[in-house]
Amino acid sequence: MGEKPQGDISVTSMHHSMLARVLGSTASAKELLIYSYGRSFNGFAAKLSDEELGLQIWKKWFQFCQTACMLKLHTTRSWDFMGFNQSHVRDSQGGDVIVGLLDTGIWPESESFSDEGFGPPPAKWKGTCQTENNFTCNNKIIGARYYNSENQYYDGDIKSPRDSEGHGTHTASTAAGREVAGASYYGLAEGLARGGHPKARIAVYKVCWVIGCAVADILAAFDDAIADGVDIISVSLGSSLTLQYFEDPIAIGSFHAMKSGILTSNSAGNDGPLGGISNYSPWSLTVAASSIDRKFVSQLVLGNGQTFKGVNINNFELNGTYPLIWGGDAANVSGHQIPLSSESCFPGDLDSSKVKGKIVLCESLWDGSGVVMAGGVGIIMPAWYFNDFAFSFPLPTTILRRQDIDKVLEYTRSSKHPIATILPGETQKDVMAPTVVSFSSRGLNPITLDILKPDVTAPGVDILAAWSPIAPPSVYQHDTRSTHYNIISGTSMSCPHASGAAAYVKATNPSWSPSAIKSALMTTAYAMDPRKNDDKEFAYGSSHINPVKAADPGLVHETSEEEYINFLCKQGYNTSTLRLITGDSSACNSTELGRAWDLNYPSFSLTIEDGHRIMGIFTRTVTNVGFPNSTQPTKLASTCRILSRLRWSPLFFHSQPLERRNPFQ
């Protein structure tokens, strides 16, 4: 493990003392204490046995003890697609804005993180750079830390903030990478790559490894990031479990960030369209993923002249035709395989003597490893039911619809010498964009039905950004090729788009609170077309971010820490459970349950069970951040659609008149 983040010395000593009283040994206490959280909030992480964790004394000292678990990552043209072009970037301020990213680290030598033209870090910066294993920071990457509370390292892990996965490098460059001309994925999607706020500084907090992202590490990273002085925190990871706010390390960490004036931008999760949403706390920004107006396709040409087009990323050129074989006709008999199994083309299924030098038609979508191991030169595979984002593979590949797979199979069986070729990939305009992609997790909000989640959507499909050159450039984990830029999809990619937009808004309006920035992004969003999105607001929230308009929204919804506390109390929290989140002396003065209709939130959501009266009264207060004594249009009506999903009835709402706060008077 790297340099252990330390809290205040007196706080650390107190934590040592507590552990020593339980374990009966000061030496054991110091050995088992993993983290002492004391820079931004109070707590610690320690390695305890089940017997030690069950001791009654913990209940005397703490309201909540959580056992460790692992969270997972939520894996050029996108900014221009939103109308946020280079002119806006050049005109923006922003050298003092710091974006902190909790992820897999970063590849500091990438051209996207060059510090040419950058001065020293802003005076507010209090962070550090852990330089183990040849890692270096600069005036662009001004801080980097790594955390591994499990102290376990696997093949590919590097004990430093250096990124061996690619994910963290991709998200960092999407949020705040510099402008890099001629960036491409092996010639595909070539153009100018840049982040949402290229002038921003980057601080890296490596919490994710091959095994996953540990809760203790995530909390330690939040503790440090807040104290280090970041302005925006970007978190492209989360849990697939439904967690109460006080059980969720990201909800707890982002609450403390909010208290310190920092907005946390979160990925919504990749469990859609049927799986539930992640990261749904009301004080953070939850970001869904949607398409941009570019998609990647590759064509299969058969020997009889038939052509088929598939959605995938193919950077290879075959230069001619090759024999075509169905995987079911190449069963590895010596490995006890039969056609019914070998048709899937999994590793070990195929007979290399039959496959070598041929294009293989497979009946399952996989990483291509089986064909690679058997010596094939190309792969044809069926698409998933949802075929709205692309993969890259280690061989020439095309992904076809099921009905097209059947036609190709018919050709291989009817021709004495079937041949085919796979053409190099190309890009096409997606006239349906933006639409929410199938994998993006949908609402309802599983904890608070009165808070609509996700909050917004942003580009998360086929995004080109910087990459770690030692990470696999395709879905095949043993792909030994190297690339400095890669094209991948996920709410992990949409989250840093929102983070970069938030950094731009913060640079333009340095005094704005986290809730003001969040409100600006939500109420100025481009309207999504509900006819193209079956789940409507449960898929895209308030709609698609518009960074340019978000910098000047006219009115914002300010939400204070006290309002969030009142919200939690109405949700059934008592003083003890409340303090699990706030970490201070906050109290619930009333145990009366209530709805969240008066939380000053930028969107409305009213859920009524069947048979109940359909009515709700919402109170909202807006602050004028435009010119004084002006008339400001609002987008309240368009963010308050009538929603219906699952067992909930169609709804109406009644809104009381809005009160304006004018800071200029």
Side-chain angles (χ1 to χ4, degrees):
M1 189 171 67
E3 175 185 309
K4 185 180 293 185
Q6 296 294 324
D8 181 89
I9 295 176
S10 61
V11 174
T12 305
S13 298
M14 177 182 69
H15 295 158
H16 276 144
S17 176
M18 287 178 170
L19 275 173
R21 287 177 61 185
V22 174
L23 303 173
S25 167
T26 301
S28 296
K30 290 184 177 180
E31 181 181 342
L32 295 177
L33 183 68
I34 301 171
Y35 295 119
S36 178
Y37 309 128
R39 300 187 70 198
S40 305
F41 47 86
N42 186 13
F44 67 82
K47 291 185 177 179
L48 301 173
S49 67
D50 291 341
E51 182 180 356
E52 290 165 340
L53 187 62
L55 294 174
Q56 288 296 312
I57 193 169
W58 297 120
K59 296 182 180 179
K60 175 182 175 182
W61 286 341
F62 296 105
Q63 290 90 10
F64 177 62
C65 295
Q66 182 172 0
T67 54
C69 63
M70 288 288 176
L71 276 64
K72 62 182 181 180
L73 295 163
H74 288 157
T75 274
T76 47
R77 166 134 185 82
S78 53
W79 295 108
D80 289 340
F81 172 68
M82 292 187 283
F84 189 48
N85 56 43
Q86 287 176 266
S87 65
H88 298 107
V89 173
R90 294 194 186 102
D91 293 343
S92 70
Q93 307 300 310
D96 287 343
V97 172
I98 305 168
V99 179
L101 297 107
L102 277 61
D103 215 296
T104 64
I106 198 168
W107 191 266
E109 293 82 8
S110 171
E111 195 175 348
S112 290
F113 310 124
S114 165
D115 68 350
E116 182 180 352
F118 279 81
K124 65 182 179 181
W125 176 244
K126 300 295 188 292
T128 189
C129 184
Q130 294 179 340
T131 58
E132 288 93 332
N133 289 316
N134 262 343
F135 187 91
T136 57
C137 293
N138 57 24
N139 286 329
K140 176 67 173 175
I141 305 172
I142 60 174
R145 302 174 185 264
Y146 70 100
Y147 310 81
N148 191 327
S149 57
E150 300 293 317
N151 203 23
Q152 295 178 358
Y153 298 91
Y154 296 84
D155 288 344
D157 283 335
I158 300 175
K159 294 175 65 174
S160 86
R162 185 174 295 279
D163 179 18
S164 60
E165 299 286 313
H167 190 277
T169 301
H170 199 281
T171 57
S173 64
T174 300
R178 298 192 57 134
E179 297 175 340
V180 177
S184 72
Y185 177 72
Y186 299 108
L188 286 173
E190 184 172 358
L192 184 77
R194 65 177 175 88
H197 195 43
K199 296 181 181 180
R201 316 294 180 119
I202 293 172
V204 176
Y205 302 87
K206 181 177 177 178
V207 297
C208 297
W209 305 80
V210 169
I211 194 174
C213 320
V215 166
D217 297 339
I218 293 167
L219 285 170
F222 266 109
D223 189 32
D224 282 332
I226 294 166
D228 287 347
V230 305
D231 296 290
I232 304 293
I233 295 178
S234 187
V235 185
S236 287
L237 57 98
S239 173
S240 294
L241 303 175
T242 297
L243 302 174
Q244 295 292 336
Y245 301 130
F246 64 80
E247 298 174 316
D248 185 349
I250 297 175
I252 294 169
S254 59
F255 187 91
H256 287 272
M258 175 274 299
K259 288 171 62 175
S260 298
I262 304 164
L263 176 64
T264 301
S265 172
N266 293 320
S267 50
N270 299 334
D271 294 326
L274 301 178
I277 199 165
S278 301
N279 300 321
Y280 34 77
S281 66
W283 44 84
S284 64
L285 181 70
T286 308
V287 189
S290 47
S291 59
I292 61 174
D293 61 344
R294 177 187 66 193
K295 61 182 179 181
F296 294 88
V297 298
S298 65
Q299 288 193 72
L300 170 71
V301 182
L302 301 181
N304 62 5
Q306 289 187 86
T307 62
F308 303 94
K309 187 176 294 184
V311 175
N312 69 288
I313 302 163
N314 178 40
N315 62 287
F316 298 96
E317 188 167 356
L318 276 176
N319 292 319
T321 58
Y322 289 81
L324 173 65
I325 189 171
W326 174 54
D329 290 333
N332 180 12
V333 178
S334 62
H336 307 291
Q337 300 299 320
I338 60 175
L340 189 62
S341 59
S342 67
E343 66 179 16
S344 295
C345 305
F346 294 150
D349 286 353
L350 302 172
D351 184 339
S352 59
S353 66
K354 296 180 179 179
V355 166
K356 188 174 182 179
K358 297 178 182 179
I359 296 173
V360 185
L361 173 64
C362 304
E363 298 281 356
S364 295
L365 182 60
W366 199 243
D367 65 358
S369 54
V371 176
V372 171
M373 293 167 62
V377 298
I379 316 168
I380 306 164
M381 291 184 283
W384 285 345
Y385 179 79
F386 299 102
N387 190 28
D388 51 0
F389 61 103
F391 295 103
S392 54
F393 295 88
L395 290 174
T397 304
T398 190
I399 309 297
L400 302 181
R401 298 175 302 171
R402 182 71 254 181
Q403 56 265 43
D404 292 336
I405 290 288
D406 293 340
K407 293 176 182 177
V408 177
L409 180 57
E410 182 182 348
Y411 165 71
T412 63
R413 288 172 168 170
S414 62
S415 174
K416 184 175 291 187
H417 300 291
I419 58 173
T421 190
I422 299 171
L423 301 180
E426 54 186 305
T427 59
Q428 288 189 350
K429 187 174 181 64
D430 184 356
V431 296
M432 294 292 287
T435 57
V436 175
V437 67
S438 57
F439 61 70
S440 185
S441 295
R442 268 59 168 176
L444 304 165
N445 184 323
I447 299 298
T448 309
L449 297 173
D450 289 336
I451 300 295
L452 177 64
K453 288 289 180 172
D455 292 306
V456 291
T457 189
V461 178
D462 302 339
I463 304 300
L464 177 75
W467 194 249
S468 169
I470 61 172
S474 71
V475 296
Y476 179 44
Q477 288 302 302
H478 299 289
D479 191 337
T480 57
R481 296 175 299 153
S482 179
T483 184
H484 292 285
Y485 289 84
N486 200 357
I487 301 167
I488 57 176
S489 301
T491 54
S492 281
M493 285 64 256
S494 60
C495 170
H497 276 89
S499 305
Y504 171 73
V505 174
K506 179 71 173 178
T508 309
N509 305 278
S511 64
W512 281 14
S513 68
S515 61
I517 297 171
K518 176 177 174 177
S519 171
L521 289 168
M522 291 174 65
T523 60
T524 60
Y526 289 110
M528 295 284 285
D529 188 342
R531 296 170 298 179
K532 300 177 184 177
N533 298 273
D534 290 341
D535 293 314
K536 301 179 173 59
E537 279 79 3
F538 291 117
Y540 51 69
S542 294
S543 280
H544 195 290
I545 62 168
N546 181 349
V548 177
K549 287 194 174 182
D552 184 19
L555 300 172
V556 295
H557 297 74
E558 290 274 18
T559 314
S560 67
E561 177 189 350
E562 291 73 22
E563 288 175 284
Y564 289 124
I565 290 173
N566 180 58
F567 155 79
L568 290 170
C569 293
K570 287 186 175 181
Q571 295 299 297
Y573 281 60
N574 56 35
T575 296
S576 296
T577 52
L578 175 68
R579 291 177 181 177
L580 301 178
I581 296 175
T582 66
D584 56 23
S585 59
S586 298
C588 288
N589 298 319
S590 172
T591 58
E592 184 178 353
L593 297 179
R595 304 296 293 260
W597 300 342
D598 60 349
L599 181 66
N600 206 37
Y601 209 74
S603 64
F604 298 82
S605 178
L606 173 63
T607 49
I608 304 294
E609 292 188 57
D610 290 341
H612 287 68
R613 186 183 179 195
I614 302 173
M615 180 181 149
I617 298 176
F618 295 82
T619 303
R620 295 292 187 269
T621 304
V622 292
T623 301
N624 180 12
V625 293
F627 293 107
N629 304 316
S630 60
T631 300
Q632 299 286 356
T634 73
K635 198 192 171 187
L636 293 175
S638 60
T639 57
C640 305
R641 292 175 51 85
I642 298 171
L643 308 179
S644 176
R645 191 173 186 188
L646 301 178
R647 65 188 181 91
W648 306 105
S649 300
L651 325 162
F652 292 102
F653 70 90
H654 170 71
S655 180
Q656 292 181 332
L658 296 173
E659 173 194 342
R660 289 193 181 190
R661 297 177 187 150
N662 193 333
F664 299 97
Q665 292 180 346

